[in-house]
Amino acid sequence: MLCDLHLHTSKSDGTFAPARLYDEIRGRGLRYFSITDHDCLDAYPVPDDLRDRVIPGIEVDSQHEGQTVHILAYGISDPESPLVQALAVQRLDRHRRMQSMIDRLCAFGINIQMRDVAAQASGATSLGRPHLARALVAQSSATTIQDAFDRFISDDGPGYAPLNRLASAEILALIHSSGGVAIVAHPMRLRAFKHLDELIALGLDGIEVVHPTATPQDEIGLRATARKHALLVTGGTDFHEPVLGHPIGVAMQSTEIDALREAVALG
Ligand code: AMP
Ligand code: ZN
Ligand code: FE
Ligand code: FE
């Protein structure tokens, strides 16, 4: 069944406005989808004709053993929920952190200012590195988004500054007290694989098994881990902007989607 449970819009660091992404979802005929913008629910609620296909979602970054770990929270749509309230604080930190990345780039000899980044982030509630990457490309300091990351703003790049994030245990507790389920996003990006076991011990509910960073072989291993611990399995493209030959939608097993929908009380 064609689904996509990991999609971004221009409300965070994607390039499609919500209305354009809804059209893409209709055009691709996705059976189920979730828009998982970073730290915000601003692409919700979805239009009426998509109501029976949506699983509400949000992507949250957390701090785990000194590393950033992305957690997908599904089943939370209330802006007043403890999670979304806490994220308002995390969102503000994105401005402080962007200024500090800009300062680092300037010290490194790249002349860029907040207004250049703001020009790439109009309508966004949540500022992210992709906005900075697009600004660097717009002024020809980088040739492509990937080039901007590779030379300047990847996690170990000269222009990188970290976000202040809540600890993974706190994020999991906030997701649960808000009535949602917590899924580790793109687990192949974890700095150490033991972090997966630690997150499971902390009460993780599921694993994003299908993601562009996971090979078919990785998927087999991740599904086995999920089965062993009776965890949910999810998947998506992590769509940020159109790339030729990479449409939205991934093939998911209907039993896996049913289990997720049941867990968030939609089933
Ligand atoms: P932020 O939350 O501001 O740290 O930005 C994280 C986003 O930047 C991720 O969701 C990815 O879309 C993108 N990103 C992070 N690292 C890389 C990288 N090395 N290459 C390309 N994109 C990246
Ligand atoms: Zn993103
Ligand atoms: Fe992510
Ligand atoms: Fe994402």
Side-chain angles (χ1 to χ4, degrees):
M1 151 190 313
L2 196 67
C3 299
D4 202 323
L5 303 177
H6 193 156
L7 298 162
H8 294 276
T9 74
S10 57
K11 292 298 178 184
S12 66
D13 56 9
T15 58
F16 276 17
R20 176 124 186 251
L21 187 60
Y22 304 144
D23 278 342
E24 198 73 15
I25 289 162
R26 293 183 186 101
R28 283 283 286 163
L30 298 187
R31 182 61 191 93
Y32 291 108
F33 72 95
S34 183
I35 297 177
T36 52
D37 275 320
H38 300 274
D39 294 346
C40 79
L41 283 173
D42 291 22
Y44 290 93
V46 301
D48 284 343
D49 66 299
L50 296 175
R51 285 282 160 82
D52 64 341
R53 306 196 222 169
V54 72
I55 298 170
I58 188 164
E59 185 171 15
V60 184
D61 26 38
S62 69
Q63 208 124 216
H64 184 83
E65 303 289 327
Q67 305 293 338
T68 298
V69 169
H70 291 189
I71 306 283
L72 293 159
Y74 293 109
I76 299 170
S77 52
D78 180 6
E80 305 296 321
S81 59
L83 176 74
V84 182
Q85 295 287 309
L87 293 183
V89 180
Q90 295 216 145
R91 257 187 342 250
L92 287 180
D93 189 59
R94 288 181 168 274
H95 289 268
R96 175 209 57 81
R97 178 264 202 143
M98 186 60 75
Q99 189 59 56
S100 101
M101 289 202 288
I102 287 168
D103 294 344
R104 280 177 205 211
L105 286 170
C106 288
F108 193 66
I110 308 279
N111 185 19
I112 189 152
Q113 294 174 36
M114 187 60 93
R115 66 165 178 268
D116 305 317
V117 178
Q120 302 296 327
S122 76
T125 307
S126 184
L127 262 189
R129 275 184 284 170
H131 297 123
L132 178 55
R134 287 177 205 132
L136 289 166
V137 172
Q139 65 173 38
S140 302
S141 293
T143 52
T144 61
I145 305 283
Q146 196 55 54
D147 179 50
F149 272 95
D150 291 347
R151 286 196 292 141
F152 305 123
I153 56 170
S154 67
D155 290 12
D156 38 24
Y160 178 73
L163 287 159
N164 291 324
R165 305 281 81 163
L166 291 168
S168 50
E170 291 176 81
I171 292 293
L172 293 182
L174 283 164
I175 292 172
H176 290 146
S177 67
S178 301
V181 297
I183 312 290
V184 63
H186 39 70
M188 301 314 293
R189 286 210 186 119
L190 290 171
R191 277 297 173 99
F193 222 63
K194 70 175 167 70
H195 290 164
L196 182 55
D197 288 323
E198 292 163 3
L199 290 164
I200 293 171
L202 287 172
L204 187 76
D205 302 294
I207 302 176
E208 186 180 49
V209 169
V210 182
H211 185 273
T213 53
T215 65
Q217 202 58 37
D218 294 331
E219 286 183 19
I220 290 170
L222 291 167
R223 271 206 170 82
T225 304
R227 200 171 313 117
K228 180 172 156 201
H229 298 277
L231 297 174
L232 298 166
V233 167
T234 72
T237 58
D238 208 349
F239 172 82
H240 283 81
E241 53 202 306
V243 178
L244 208 64
H246 294 274
I248 63 171
V250 299
M252 295 292 302
Q253 297 172 13
S254 56
T255 49
E256 293 170 343
I257 296 288
D258 289 346
L260 175 66
R261 295 185 68 242
E262 223 160 275
V264 300
L266 287 169

